[in-house]
Amino acid sequence: MTNATVCRVDDNAIAAPAVEVGPRLPKGSYLPINRCNLPAMILGGLTFQRHPAPLLLDGVAELHHRLFRSLDLLAEPGERAQRFMDYMTVYFRLEALEDVGLMPGRRKLRGRADYLRMVRGWAFDPNSQEGAVLKAWVESRFGLLARYHGGLLDDRIRDDTYMQFLEACSRGLYNTNALEAQLDLLYAYAQYEQRRQQPTAVHLSLYRGFNRFSDDQVLAKPDRRRWVVLLNNLSSFSVRRERAEEFGDHLLRVQVPLAKVFFYNRMLPGMLKGEDEYVVVGGVYEVERLC
C-alpha cells in the first residue's frame, strides 16, 4: 500500500452531491488528504449522511481480491466469518509472528496487538490505548480528526491531552505487525458482510446515550427534537434503545449510513460479548433527540 494518497473520487464510486445543504463540516476537524475514494469534507458532511456512497479504502479490495472472491462462494454468515478470520491469521502470520520478524521472548509485547485486541480494547474503554489507535486509524484513512480522547482535543500544538493521545497511538502501534492494514481489512469485511446480509439497505437506525455536547459540537437546532451535531471521528451506537439509555441521561436516534460502520459486535464469532454495538465513523450528523 502507498504511504499516503491524495484524495480522489473513484470512477466506480457513486458521487456524493457537491452542494452541502445545512451546516458544513467545520474547518479544523478534517485533513486535506486521506486514503479512500472520497475526501473528508464530503464523507464527513451532512449531505453524505442523507445520500451515502460506498467508501473504498485505497488498495484494499485489489490486494485482497482472492479473499472476497472466496467469500462470494459461501452462503452462511458463520462460514464467511470463519474464512475471514482464518485469512487474517494466515495473511498477517498472527500465530507465527517469528515469520515476520518477532524476536524470541517478545511475543507478549507484539503478538497480542492485533485487530481483535484493538476492538476488544475499544469495547472495554474507548479512551484506552486501543481506542487511540482506532481513532488515529480513522484520521489516516478517512481524514476525520479525533475530537475527544480522555478529554477535548482542542489545541493540537500546546494541549497536553492531545500529546497524551499521540503517545497512546505511538505505544499502540509500536512494533506491531501491519496493524493498520489489519484494520483496513476489518472495515472492508464489515462493509462486504453488510451488503451480503442487507443488499438493499442504505442506513441503520441506531441509538446513542449522552450527557451533554460541548458548545462546538451542536452546529444547528432546526427544531426542539432535531439537531445537527459534529460527532467524534469514531463513536459507539446501539441497535437497542434500552441499551443506549444506560450510557447517558439523554438519548439520540441517528440514521447512520452503512458505509460508515467500521465494525459491529456480531460480525465475528467471539469478537465481543453482546450483539447490539456498532462502531461508527463520525462527522456531521442530523440526529433526533428522543429525551
Side-chain angles (χ1 to χ4, degrees):
M1 292 188 182
T2 58
N3 291 329
T5 305
V6 176
C7 266
R8 52 172 173 55
V9 177
D10 192 279
D11 291 338
N12 297 319
I14 301 172
V19 178
E20 188 75 53
V21 178
R24 296 173 179 268
L25 186 65
K27 291 183 179 180
S29 63
Y30 61 92
L31 297 171
I33 61 173
N34 64 13
R35 299 186 185 184
C36 75
N37 61 315
L38 291 176
M41 65 180 298
I42 291 179
L43 69 87
L46 191 58
T47 298
F48 187 89
Q49 182 197 11
R50 294 169 176 167
H51 308 283
L55 296 177
L56 307 174
L57 298 183
D58 289 345
V60 176
E62 294 81 1
L63 184 61
H64 301 287
H65 61 94
R66 291 186 179 87
L67 167 65
F68 293 106
R69 283 209 304 264
S70 72
L71 293 175
D72 288 340
L73 304 176
L74 302 177
E76 294 298 322
E79 292 180 341
R80 295 194 294 269
Q82 191 59 56
R83 176 69 59 85
F84 170 77
M85 296 177 75
D86 290 345
Y87 181 91
M88 294 288 280
T89 298
V90 173
Y91 187 88
F92 293 104
R93 312 303 293 162
L94 298 181
E95 294 181 356
L97 292 172
E98 293 81 2
D99 294 350
V100 289
L102 176 71
M103 299 294 292
R106 297 186 63 85
R107 176 171 293 273
K108 288 184 178 180
L109 296 179
R110 184 177 185 182
R112 293 165 60 190
D114 61 15
Y115 70 106
L116 290 173
R117 175 65 176 260
M118 295 300 108
V119 300
R120 287 167 178 158
W122 172 276
F124 180 74
D125 179 10
N127 295 307
S128 63
Q129 178 173 291
E130 293 82 1
V133 169
L134 295 184
K135 292 170 187 174
W137 175 84
V138 172
E139 290 191 347
S140 169
R141 270 46 180 177
F142 298 100
L144 299 174
L145 295 176
R147 301 186 56 77
Y148 188 93
H149 187 80
L152 289 174
L153 305 177
D154 289 331
D155 190 334
R156 290 180 171 251
I157 298 177
R158 295 177 291 275
D159 186 62
D160 288 342
T161 303
Y162 180 65
M163 295 305 299
Q164 292 167 8
F165 169 66
L166 290 182
E167 291 171 5
C169 295
S170 298
R171 288 195 305 269
L173 286 171
Y174 176 71
N175 207 31
T176 59
N177 178 30
L179 182 54
E180 290 178 305
Q182 294 180 41
L183 299 177
D184 291 346
L185 193 49
L186 179 68
Y187 169 77
Y189 176 73
Q191 293 297 303
Y192 173 89
E193 189 59 29
Q194 287 179 115
R195 290 193 298 270
R196 285 292 300 268
Q197 296 193 31
Q198 304 178 78
T200 62
V202 178
H203 293 87
L204 289 172
S205 184
L206 300 178
Y207 299 90
R208 178 174 173 82
F210 74 102
N211 289 317
R212 66 179 299 273
F213 284 116
S214 61
D215 293 339
D216 64 340
Q217 280 186 283
V218 180
L219 305 181
K221 295 182 180 180
D223 58 50
R224 185 176 62 86
R225 297 191 61 170
R226 284 193 308 126
W227 290 5
V228 178
V229 301
L230 176 61
L231 296 178
N232 201 7
N233 72 343
L234 198 64
S235 301
S236 289
F237 288 80
S238 177
V239 295
R240 294 195 302 146
R241 173 173 178 159
E242 59 272 19
R243 176 63 173 161
E245 288 175 334
E246 298 174 7
F247 292 91
D249 297 329
H250 306 286
L251 185 68
L252 300 177
R253 180 165 56 199
V254 187
Q255 297 302 310
V256 173
L258 264 68
K260 283 195 169 184
V261 174
F262 178 14
F263 62 86
Y264 50 99
N265 284 21
R266 65 177 181 272
M267 189 171 82
L268 299 174
M271 184 170 77
L272 294 170
K273 295 181 179 179
E275 297 185 350
D276 58 1
E277 183 179 5
Y278 282 72
V279 178
V280 171
V281 175
V284 177
Y285 283 84
E286 184 176 63
V287 304
E288 180 184 4
R289 183 177 177 180
L290 300 179
C291 64

